[in-house]
Amino acid sequence: SQKIEQNSEALNIQEGKTATLTCNYTNYSPAYLQWYRQDPGRGPVFLLLIRENEKEKRKERLKVTFDTTLKQSLFHITASQPADSATYLCALEEGSGNTGKLIFGQGTTLQVKP
Amino acid sequence: DTAVSQTPKYLVTQMGNDKSIKCEQNLGHDTMYWYKQDSKKFLKIMFSYNNKELIINETVPNRFSPKSPDKAHLNLHINSLELGDSAVYFCASSQAGQGKDEQFFGPGTRLTVL
């Protein structure tokens, strides 16, 4: 069966460290993978998109990798800050064209302690 | 200016009632979506519309009926509400209905069915 899995346990790290979140998937062959941030009581906010032919994408302190052989994406936040505390969702594309849709993982909650 | 807005933010109602949630986007996007986020935080697509045309209908009970009067609006009407309908409902929009486009989410509507 198709699955997209993120670590359901919260990730607690110290301010200034690098946070690494994992997104694994099975029985999908996505051309695109996206990462979103969700704060309590709010809608998800887009962070980064990576294509299947891209190994790595960066945006400021954020870095995403996409390994289609391992069927895994890693999301890194360097020099983490308490303001980075939130739930991070990965989402991959299922289908293609106008009927393509995003399938979301359940998210990993990150807590950055000062 | 809010990009994607939803009303109401909270909705508390009795089983068996009919209710509607409204969504508007001012981004000029062609595609709009409804998602349901349950208590376990899974975000699942329900419907997508492209230029007022239904594109995706994810085996949602036919008590749920989306309506798109124009491409900037996508409303969700729910008949005969059940306890299991309690969740947070998010509206979203993107330029095209594909997984390669970032999606912009509204603030969500928390529906509680008593």
Side-chain angles (χ1 to χ4, degrees), chain A residues 39-103:
Chain A
D39 290 283
R42 293 178 173 265
V45 174
F46 172 80
L47 295 174
L48 280 167
L49 178 149
I50 188 165
R51 295 170 173 75
E52 62 179 339
N53 60 354
E54 295 177 314
K55 295 295 181 190
E56 181 180 298
K57 198 84 168 276
R58 291 175 186 261
K59 179 181 173 184
E60 298 172 353
R61 295 183 296 111
L62 309 181
K63 184 178 87 171
V64 170
T65 63
F66 191 9
D67 189 325
T68 55
T69 302
L70 289 179
K71 296 188 180 295
Q72 180 181 77
S73 175
L74 298 178
F75 178 80
H76 306 272
I77 307 175
T78 57
S80 59
Q81 304 165 359
D84 295 326
S85 299
T87 295
Y88 292 86
L89 307 169
C90 72
L92 51 81
E93 180 192 37
E94 182 184 47
S96 61
N98 275 344
T99 59
K101 59 190 178 188
L102 285 183
I103 307 298

Side-chain angles (χ1 to χ4, degrees), chain A residues 37-45 82-89 108-111, chain B residues 9-10 37 41 88 90 106-108 110:
Chain A
R37 169 183 173 141
Q38 187 173 23
D39 290 283
R42 293 178 173 265
V45 174
D84 295 326
S85 299
T87 295
Y88 292 86
L89 307 169
T108 297
T109 298
L110 172 67
Q111 189 72 35
Chain B
K9 181 136 176 85
Y10 299 96
Q37 190 169 42
K41 305 299 183 187
V88 181
F90 288 100
R110 182 175 292 276

